[in-house]
């Protein structure tokens, strides 16, 4: 748990340091040393984030699944989501602004300089961690179904049924509880978990039942080293966005080259993203071939 939080803080520290260094280096009239300003900026590194949330949710989730009987987990999830919806409802939780209760809590606990942006809304903030814990519990429940249901047909039926129920419920309830990733709304939890369960059931059927696709190693490359691949993608993105310091960065250079060939459009952005993922995949493939599995 603590290791994941440290890695997440390192990523944001790198982004803050290089971003400040590049911004200062691009200003010809900048007063002082850009390097000194970059080191000073580390005092304002974002505290929470993706990996930090994973650490908190997995830590709290593991305690809950060991303390609560597993048959009560669906009821616990319902209680967590209802309570969080009540917090959003009474605290202007769906307003993107400083009057949002999520913003008030984040600014009080984290401080504005340690948040995602200066608007006061952190997508991985303090209160929005609550429904994320429910999401982990749902994932555990689906995993339990996969591990403890011996009959494949029964397993697929249950995954598909519960996934469809979550997906449909999330979409039906969005009129009273907007589907919002920024505040991690309960409907967002239901839709994402429902979709994931449906996709899992389809993949299990196609790969394990029909036997039509067996080249799962293509995806296993990310599966056996998920944390390493995620961290590598973040670091590569930061470097591409920040270097070189006083010239056009690598991101703009590569995208400009693709735009000259494909045009400046959404497809070019997709190609850029696909190539980016491909680079990470190649590194992961090398580790997979060498049987190197990086875990913490």
């Amino acid at each position: 748990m603590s290791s994941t939080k440290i890695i997440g803080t390192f990523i944001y520290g790198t982004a803050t340091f290089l971003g400040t260094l590049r911004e200062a280096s691009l200003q010809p009239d900048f007063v002082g040393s850009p390097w000194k300003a970059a080191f000073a900026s580390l005092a304002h590194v974002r505290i929470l984030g993706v990996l930090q949330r994973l650490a908190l949710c997995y830590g709290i989730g593991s305690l809950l699944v060991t303390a609560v009987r597993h048959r009560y987990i669906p009821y616990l999830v319902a209680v967590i989501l209802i309570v969080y919806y009540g917090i959003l409802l009474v605290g202007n939780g769906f307003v993107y602004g400083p009057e949002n209760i999520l913003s008030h809590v984040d600014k009080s606990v984290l401080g504005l300089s340690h948040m995602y942006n200066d608007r006061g809304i952190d997508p991985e903030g303090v209160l929005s961690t609550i429904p994320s814990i429910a999401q982990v519990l749902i994932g555990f429940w689906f995993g339990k179904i996969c591990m403890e249901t011996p009959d494949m047909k029964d397993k697929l039926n249950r995954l598909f049924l519960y996934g469809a129920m979550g997906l449909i419920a999330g979409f039906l309830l969005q009129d009273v509880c907007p589907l919002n990733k920024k505040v991690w709304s309960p409907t967002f939890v239901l839709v994402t978990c429902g979709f994931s369960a449906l996709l899992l059931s389809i993949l299990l059927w196609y790969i394990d039942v029909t036997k039509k696709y067996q080249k799962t190693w293509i995806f296993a490359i990310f599966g056996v080293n998920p944390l390493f691949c995620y961290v590598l993608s973040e670091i590569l993105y930061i470097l591409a966005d920040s270097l070189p310091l006083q010239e056009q960065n690598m991101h703009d250079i590569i995208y400009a080259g693709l735009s000259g060939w494909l045009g400046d459009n959404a497809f070019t952005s997709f190609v850029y993203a696909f190539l980016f993922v491909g680079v990470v995949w190649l590194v992961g493939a090398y580790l997979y071939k060498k049987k190197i599995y990086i875990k913490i």
Side-chain angles (χ1 to χ4, degrees), residues 128-173:
S128 61
T129 301
I130 296 173
S132 300
I133 296 171
Q135 203 160 23
V136 169
L137 294 177
I138 294 173
F140 171 82
W141 191 46
F142 286 147
K144 184 178 174 67
I145 291 174
C146 291
M147 297 294 292
E148 298 182 358
T149 307
D151 182 67
M152 178 61 76
K153 182 178 180 181
D154 184 32
K155 181 188 302 184
L156 293 178
N157 286 339
R158 293 178 67 185
L159 283 174
F160 197 87
L161 174 63
Y162 296 142
M165 289 172 60
L167 191 66
I168 294 172
F171 281 124
L172 287 178
L173 293 172

Short mmCIF file of all heavy atoms in Angstrom, two decimals, residues 128-173:
data_model
loop_
_atom_site.label_atom_id
_atom_site.label_comp_id
_atom_site.label_asym_id
_atom_site.label_seq_id
_atom_site.Cartn_x
_atom_site.Cartn_y
_atom_site.Cartn_z
N SER A 128 -14.27 11.40 -2.69
CA SER A 128 -14.58 10.53 -3.84
C SER A 128 -13.86 9.19 -3.77
O SER A 128 -14.08 8.31 -4.61
CB SER A 128 -14.24 11.25 -5.15
OG SER A 128 -12.87 11.57 -5.22
N THR A 129 -13.01 9.02 -2.76
CA THR A 129 -12.39 7.72 -2.53
C THR A 129 -13.42 6.72 -1.98
O THR A 129 -13.28 5.51 -2.17
CB THR A 129 -11.20 7.84 -1.55
OG1 THR A 129 -10.24 8.75 -2.10
CG2 THR A 129 -10.53 6.51 -1.30
N ILE A 130 -14.47 7.25 -1.34
CA ILE A 130 -15.49 6.38 -0.73
C ILE A 130 -16.14 5.46 -1.77
O ILE A 130 -16.18 4.24 -1.57
CB ILE A 130 -16.54 7.24 0.00
CG1 ILE A 130 -15.90 7.98 1.17
CG2 ILE A 130 -17.70 6.37 0.49
CD1 ILE A 130 -16.83 8.99 1.85
N PRO A 131 -16.69 5.99 -2.89
CA PRO A 131 -17.29 5.09 -3.87
C PRO A 131 -16.26 4.21 -4.57
O PRO A 131 -16.61 3.13 -5.08
CB PRO A 131 -17.96 6.04 -4.87
CG PRO A 131 -17.21 7.32 -4.75
CD PRO A 131 -16.84 7.41 -3.29
N SER A 132 -15.01 4.65 -4.60
CA SER A 132 -13.96 3.82 -5.20
C SER A 132 -13.74 2.55 -4.38
O SER A 132 -13.42 1.49 -4.93
CB SER A 132 -12.66 4.60 -5.31
OG SER A 132 -12.81 5.74 -6.11
N ILE A 133 -13.91 2.66 -3.07
CA ILE A 133 -13.82 1.48 -2.21
C ILE A 133 -14.93 0.50 -2.56
O ILE A 133 -14.72 -0.71 -2.62
CB ILE A 133 -13.90 1.89 -0.73
CG1 ILE A 133 -12.69 2.76 -0.36
CG2 ILE A 133 -13.97 0.67 0.18
CD1 ILE A 133 -12.77 3.40 1.01
N ALA A 134 -16.13 1.05 -2.80
CA ALA A 134 -17.25 0.19 -3.22
C ALA A 134 -16.92 -0.50 -4.54
O ALA A 134 -17.28 -1.67 -4.75
CB ALA A 134 -18.52 1.03 -3.37
N GLN A 135 -16.24 0.19 -5.41
CA GLN A 135 -15.87 -0.38 -6.71
C GLN A 135 -14.91 -1.56 -6.53
O GLN A 135 -15.02 -2.58 -7.21
CB GLN A 135 -15.23 0.70 -7.58
CG GLN A 135 -15.29 0.45 -9.06
CD GLN A 135 -15.09 1.72 -9.86
OE1 GLN A 135 -14.52 2.69 -9.38
NE2 GLN A 135 -15.58 1.73 -11.08
N VAL A 136 -13.97 -1.43 -5.60
CA VAL A 136 -13.05 -2.52 -5.30
C VAL A 136 -13.80 -3.72 -4.73
O VAL A 136 -13.52 -4.88 -5.08
CB VAL A 136 -11.95 -2.04 -4.32
CG1 VAL A 136 -11.15 -3.23 -3.79
CG2 VAL A 136 -11.02 -1.05 -5.00
N LEU A 137 -14.77 -3.45 -3.87
CA LEU A 137 -15.56 -4.53 -3.28
C LEU A 137 -16.38 -5.26 -4.35
O LEU A 137 -16.52 -6.49 -4.31
CB LEU A 137 -16.49 -3.98 -2.20
CG LEU A 137 -15.80 -3.41 -0.96
CD1 LEU A 137 -16.84 -2.82 0.00
CD2 LEU A 137 -14.98 -4.48 -0.25
N ILE A 138 -16.91 -4.51 -5.32
CA ILE A 138 -17.64 -5.13 -6.42
C ILE A 138 -16.69 -6.02 -7.23
O ILE A 138 -17.04 -7.14 -7.62
CB ILE A 138 -18.28 -4.07 -7.33
CG1 ILE A 138 -19.37 -3.31 -6.57
CG2 ILE A 138 -18.87 -4.70 -8.58
CD1 ILE A 138 -19.95 -2.14 -7.33
N GLY A 139 -15.49 -5.51 -7.49
CA GLY A 139 -14.50 -6.30 -8.21
C GLY A 139 -14.14 -7.58 -7.46
O GLY A 139 -13.99 -8.65 -8.07
N PHE A 140 -14.02 -7.47 -6.15
CA PHE A 140 -13.74 -8.66 -5.33
C PHE A 140 -14.88 -9.66 -5.44
O PHE A 140 -14.66 -10.88 -5.56
CB PHE A 140 -13.55 -8.26 -3.87
CG PHE A 140 -13.46 -9.42 -2.92
CD1 PHE A 140 -12.26 -10.11 -2.75
CD2 PHE A 140 -14.57 -9.85 -2.21
CE1 PHE A 140 -12.17 -11.20 -1.88
CE2 PHE A 140 -14.50 -10.93 -1.35
CZ PHE A 140 -13.30 -11.61 -1.19
N TRP A 141 -16.09 -9.16 -5.43
CA TRP A 141 -17.27 -10.03 -5.50
C TRP A 141 -17.32 -10.77 -6.84
O TRP A 141 -17.57 -11.97 -6.89
CB TRP A 141 -18.52 -9.19 -5.28
CG TRP A 141 -19.77 -9.98 -5.07
CD1 TRP A 141 -19.94 -11.06 -4.24
CD2 TRP A 141 -21.03 -9.75 -5.69
NE1 TRP A 141 -21.23 -11.50 -4.30
CE2 TRP A 141 -21.93 -10.73 -5.18
CE3 TRP A 141 -21.50 -8.82 -6.60
CZ2 TRP A 141 -23.26 -10.79 -5.58
CZ3 TRP A 141 -22.83 -8.88 -6.99
CH2 TRP A 141 -23.68 -9.85 -6.49
N PHE A 142 -17.04 -10.05 -7.93
CA PHE A 142 -16.99 -10.69 -9.24
C PHE A 142 -15.85 -11.71 -9.31
O PHE A 142 -15.97 -12.78 -9.90
CB PHE A 142 -16.84 -9.66 -10.34
CG PHE A 142 -18.09 -8.87 -10.62
CD1 PHE A 142 -18.03 -7.55 -11.03
CD2 PHE A 142 -19.33 -9.47 -10.50
CE1 PHE A 142 -19.18 -6.82 -11.29
CE2 PHE A 142 -20.50 -8.76 -10.76
CZ PHE A 142 -20.43 -7.44 -11.15
N GLY A 143 -14.71 -11.35 -8.73
CA GLY A 143 -13.59 -12.28 -8.70
C GLY A 143 -13.92 -13.54 -7.91
O GLY A 143 -13.50 -14.64 -8.29
N LYS A 144 -14.68 -13.38 -6.84
CA LYS A 144 -15.09 -14.52 -6.03
C LYS A 144 -15.99 -15.45 -6.84
O LYS A 144 -15.89 -16.68 -6.73
CB LYS A 144 -15.82 -14.01 -4.79
CG LYS A 144 -16.23 -15.08 -3.78
CD LYS A 144 -16.89 -14.44 -2.59
CE LYS A 144 -17.43 -15.51 -1.63
NZ LYS A 144 -16.34 -16.28 -1.00
N ILE A 145 -16.86 -14.86 -7.66
CA ILE A 145 -17.72 -15.66 -8.54
C ILE A 145 -16.87 -16.48 -9.51
O ILE A 145 -17.11 -17.67 -9.74
CB ILE A 145 -18.70 -14.76 -9.31
CG1 ILE A 145 -19.73 -14.15 -8.35
CG2 ILE A 145 -19.41 -15.53 -10.41
CD1 ILE A 145 -20.65 -13.13 -9.00
N CYS A 146 -15.86 -15.83 -10.08
CA CYS A 146 -15.00 -16.52 -11.04
C CYS A 146 -14.21 -17.66 -10.39
O CYS A 146 -14.03 -18.73 -10.98
CB CYS A 146 -14.02 -15.53 -11.67
SG CYS A 146 -14.77 -14.32 -12.77
N MET A 147 -13.76 -17.45 -9.17
CA MET A 147 -12.91 -18.44 -8.51
C MET A 147 -13.70 -19.58 -7.89
O MET A 147 -13.21 -20.71 -7.83
CB MET A 147 -12.07 -17.75 -7.42
CG MET A 147 -11.11 -16.70 -7.94
SD MET A 147 -9.80 -17.40 -8.97
CE MET A 147 -8.88 -18.34 -7.77
N GLU A 148 -14.92 -19.32 -7.42
CA GLU A 148 -15.64 -20.31 -6.63
C GLU A 148 -16.83 -20.94 -7.33
O GLU A 148 -17.53 -21.76 -6.74
CB GLU A 148 -16.09 -19.67 -5.31
CG GLU A 148 -14.94 -19.20 -4.44
CD GLU A 148 -15.39 -18.62 -3.12
OE1 GLU A 148 -16.62 -18.55 -2.89
OE2 GLU A 148 -14.53 -18.24 -2.31
N THR A 149 -17.08 -20.56 -8.58
CA THR A 149 -18.17 -21.17 -9.34
C THR A 149 -17.57 -22.17 -10.31
O THR A 149 -17.00 -21.80 -11.34
CB THR A 149 -18.98 -20.11 -10.11
OG1 THR A 149 -19.40 -19.08 -9.20
CG2 THR A 149 -20.21 -20.74 -10.76
N PRO A 150 -17.69 -23.48 -10.02
CA PRO A 150 -17.01 -24.48 -10.86
C PRO A 150 -17.63 -24.63 -12.25
O PRO A 150 -16.91 -24.87 -13.22
CB PRO A 150 -17.17 -25.77 -10.05
CG PRO A 150 -18.36 -25.54 -9.18
CD PRO A 150 -18.37 -24.08 -8.86
N ASP A 151 -18.95 -24.50 -12.33
CA ASP A 151 -19.61 -24.70 -13.62
C ASP A 151 -19.47 -23.44 -14.48
O ASP A 151 -19.90 -22.35 -14.06
CB ASP A 151 -21.09 -25.02 -13.41
CG ASP A 151 -21.80 -25.28 -14.73
OD1 ASP A 151 -21.51 -26.28 -15.39
OD2 ASP A 151 -22.66 -24.45 -15.09
N MET A 152 -18.87 -23.56 -15.66
CA MET A 152 -18.61 -22.41 -16.51
C MET A 152 -19.90 -21.72 -16.94
O MET A 152 -19.98 -20.49 -16.98
CB MET A 152 -17.80 -22.83 -17.73
CG MET A 152 -17.52 -21.71 -18.72
SD MET A 152 -16.56 -20.33 -18.00
CE MET A 152 -14.91 -21.06 -17.96
N LYS A 153 -20.92 -22.50 -17.27
CA LYS A 153 -22.18 -21.91 -17.71
C LYS A 153 -22.80 -21.07 -16.60
O LYS A 153 -23.27 -19.95 -16.84
CB LYS A 153 -23.15 -23.01 -18.14
CG LYS A 153 -24.48 -22.48 -18.67
CD LYS A 153 -25.38 -23.61 -19.13
CE LYS A 153 -26.71 -23.05 -19.65
NZ LYS A 153 -27.61 -24.15 -20.09
N ASP A 154 -22.79 -21.59 -15.39
CA ASP A 154 -23.33 -20.86 -14.24
C ASP A 154 -22.52 -19.60 -13.98
O ASP A 154 -23.06 -18.53 -13.68
CB ASP A 154 -23.34 -21.77 -13.01
CG ASP A 154 -23.99 -21.10 -11.81
OD1 ASP A 154 -24.92 -20.29 -12.02
OD2 ASP A 154 -23.58 -21.39 -10.66
N LYS A 155 -21.21 -19.73 -14.10
CA LYS A 155 -20.31 -18.58 -13.89
C LYS A 155 -20.61 -17.47 -14.89
O LYS A 155 -20.74 -16.29 -14.52
CB LYS A 155 -18.86 -19.04 -14.02
CG LYS A 155 -17.82 -17.95 -13.80
CD LYS A 155 -16.43 -18.45 -14.14
CE LYS A 155 -16.06 -19.66 -13.32
NZ LYS A 155 -14.65 -20.09 -13.58
N LEU A 156 -20.72 -17.82 -16.16
CA LEU A 156 -20.98 -16.83 -17.20
C LEU A 156 -22.36 -16.19 -17.02
O LEU A 156 -22.51 -14.97 -17.19
CB LEU A 156 -20.87 -17.47 -18.58
CG LEU A 156 -19.48 -17.95 -19.00
CD1 LEU A 156 -19.56 -18.62 -20.37
CD2 LEU A 156 -18.50 -16.79 -19.03
N ASN A 157 -23.35 -17.00 -16.66
CA ASN A 157 -24.69 -16.47 -16.46
C ASN A 157 -24.73 -15.45 -15.33
O ASN A 157 -25.36 -14.40 -15.44
CB ASN A 157 -25.68 -17.61 -16.16
CG ASN A 157 -26.01 -18.42 -17.40
OD1 ASN A 157 -25.85 -17.94 -18.52
ND2 ASN A 157 -26.48 -19.64 -17.21
N ARG A 158 -24.05 -15.77 -14.24
CA ARG A 158 -24.04 -14.86 -13.09
C ARG A 158 -23.29 -13.57 -13.41
O ARG A 158 -23.76 -12.47 -13.08
CB ARG A 158 -23.42 -15.56 -11.88
CG ARG A 158 -24.25 -16.72 -11.35
CD ARG A 158 -23.56 -17.41 -10.19
NE ARG A 158 -23.49 -16.53 -9.02
CZ ARG A 158 -22.86 -16.85 -7.90
NH1 ARG A 158 -22.21 -18.01 -7.80
NH2 ARG A 158 -22.84 -16.01 -6.87
N LEU A 159 -22.13 -13.69 -14.03
CA LEU A 159 -21.37 -12.50 -14.41
C LEU A 159 -22.17 -11.62 -15.36
O LEU A 159 -22.23 -10.39 -15.20
CB LEU A 159 -20.04 -12.89 -15.05
CG LEU A 159 -18.92 -13.37 -14.14
CD1 LEU A 159 -17.74 -13.84 -14.96
CD2 LEU A 159 -18.49 -12.26 -13.18
N PHE A 160 -22.79 -12.25 -16.36
CA PHE A 160 -23.55 -11.49 -17.35
C PHE A 160 -24.78 -10.85 -16.72
O PHE A 160 -25.09 -9.69 -17.00
CB PHE A 160 -23.97 -12.40 -18.51
CG PHE A 160 -24.40 -11.65 -19.74
CD1 PHE A 160 -23.46 -11.27 -20.68
CD2 PHE A 160 -25.73 -11.30 -19.93
CE1 PHE A 160 -23.84 -10.56 -21.81
CE2 PHE A 160 -26.12 -10.59 -21.06
CZ PHE A 160 -25.18 -10.23 -22.01
N LEU A 161 -25.46 -11.59 -15.85
CA LEU A 161 -26.67 -11.05 -15.21
C LEU A 161 -26.34 -9.87 -14.31
O LEU A 161 -26.95 -8.80 -14.43
CB LEU A 161 -27.35 -12.15 -14.39
CG LEU A 161 -28.55 -11.71 -13.54
CD1 LEU A 161 -29.67 -11.19 -14.43
CD2 LEU A 161 -29.03 -12.85 -12.66
N TYR A 162 -25.36 -10.04 -13.43
CA TYR A 162 -25.01 -8.96 -12.50
C TYR A 162 -24.40 -7.76 -13.25
O TYR A 162 -24.63 -6.61 -12.88
CB TYR A 162 -24.05 -9.47 -11.43
CG TYR A 162 -24.64 -10.53 -10.54
CD1 TYR A 162 -23.86 -11.61 -10.11
CD2 TYR A 162 -25.96 -10.46 -10.14
CE1 TYR A 162 -24.41 -12.60 -9.29
CE2 TYR A 162 -26.51 -11.45 -9.32
CZ TYR A 162 -25.73 -12.51 -8.91
OH TYR A 162 -26.26 -13.49 -8.11
N GLY A 163 -23.63 -8.05 -14.27
CA GLY A 163 -23.06 -6.97 -15.07
C GLY A 163 -24.13 -6.16 -15.76
O GLY A 163 -24.10 -4.93 -15.77
N ALA A 164 -25.11 -6.87 -16.37
CA ALA A 164 -26.22 -6.18 -17.05
C ALA A 164 -27.05 -5.38 -16.06
O ALA A 164 -27.47 -4.25 -16.36
CB ALA A 164 -27.09 -7.21 -17.77
N MET A 165 -27.28 -5.93 -14.87
CA MET A 165 -28.05 -5.21 -13.85
C MET A 165 -27.35 -3.92 -13.44
O MET A 165 -27.97 -2.86 -13.31
CB MET A 165 -28.26 -6.11 -12.63
CG MET A 165 -29.23 -7.25 -12.86
SD MET A 165 -29.28 -8.43 -11.47
CE MET A 165 -29.80 -7.33 -10.13
N GLY A 166 -26.03 -3.99 -13.23
CA GLY A 166 -25.28 -2.80 -12.86
C GLY A 166 -25.29 -1.75 -13.95
O GLY A 166 -25.48 -0.55 -13.69
N LEU A 167 -25.07 -2.20 -15.18
CA LEU A 167 -25.03 -1.28 -16.32
C LEU A 167 -26.38 -0.59 -16.52
O LEU A 167 -26.45 0.64 -16.67
CB LEU A 167 -24.63 -2.03 -17.58
CG LEU A 167 -24.27 -1.20 -18.81
CD1 LEU A 167 -23.00 -0.40 -18.56
CD2 LEU A 167 -24.08 -2.11 -20.02
N ILE A 168 -27.45 -1.37 -16.51
CA ILE A 168 -28.79 -0.82 -16.72
C ILE A 168 -29.18 0.11 -15.57
O ILE A 168 -29.72 1.21 -15.79
CB ILE A 168 -29.82 -1.96 -16.87
CG1 ILE A 168 -29.55 -2.73 -18.16
CG2 ILE A 168 -31.25 -1.40 -16.88
CD1 ILE A 168 -30.38 -4.00 -18.30
N ALA A 169 -28.89 -0.30 -14.34
CA ALA A 169 -29.22 0.54 -13.18
C ALA A 169 -28.49 1.87 -13.23
O ALA A 169 -29.06 2.93 -12.94
CB ALA A 169 -28.88 -0.21 -11.89
N GLY A 170 -27.22 1.83 -13.61
CA GLY A 170 -26.44 3.07 -13.70
C GLY A 170 -27.01 4.04 -14.71
O GLY A 170 -27.12 5.25 -14.44
N PHE A 171 -27.41 3.53 -15.87
CA PHE A 171 -27.97 4.40 -16.90
C PHE A 171 -29.37 4.89 -16.54
O PHE A 171 -29.74 6.04 -16.81
CB PHE A 171 -28.00 3.68 -18.25
CG PHE A 171 -26.66 3.66 -18.95
CD1 PHE A 171 -26.08 2.46 -19.33
CD2 PHE A 171 -25.97 4.85 -19.21
CE1 PHE A 171 -24.85 2.44 -19.97
CE2 PHE A 171 -24.74 4.84 -19.85
CZ PHE A 171 -24.18 3.63 -20.22
N LEU A 172 -30.17 4.03 -15.91
CA LEU A 172 -31.53 4.44 -15.53
C LEU A 172 -31.53 5.49 -14.43
O LEU A 172 -32.42 6.36 -14.39
CB LEU A 172 -32.33 3.21 -15.08
CG LEU A 172 -32.77 2.22 -16.16
CD1 LEU A 172 -33.50 1.04 -15.53
CD2 LEU A 172 -33.65 2.91 -17.20
N LEU A 173 -30.56 5.44 -13.56
CA LEU A 173 -30.51 6.36 -12.42
C LEU A 173 -29.78 7.66 -12.71
O LEU A 173 -29.70 8.52 -11.83
CB LEU A 173 -29.84 5.66 -11.22
CG LEU A 173 -30.60 4.49 -10.60
CD1 LEU A 173 -29.73 3.79 -9.56
CD2 LEU A 173 -31.90 4.97 -9.97
#
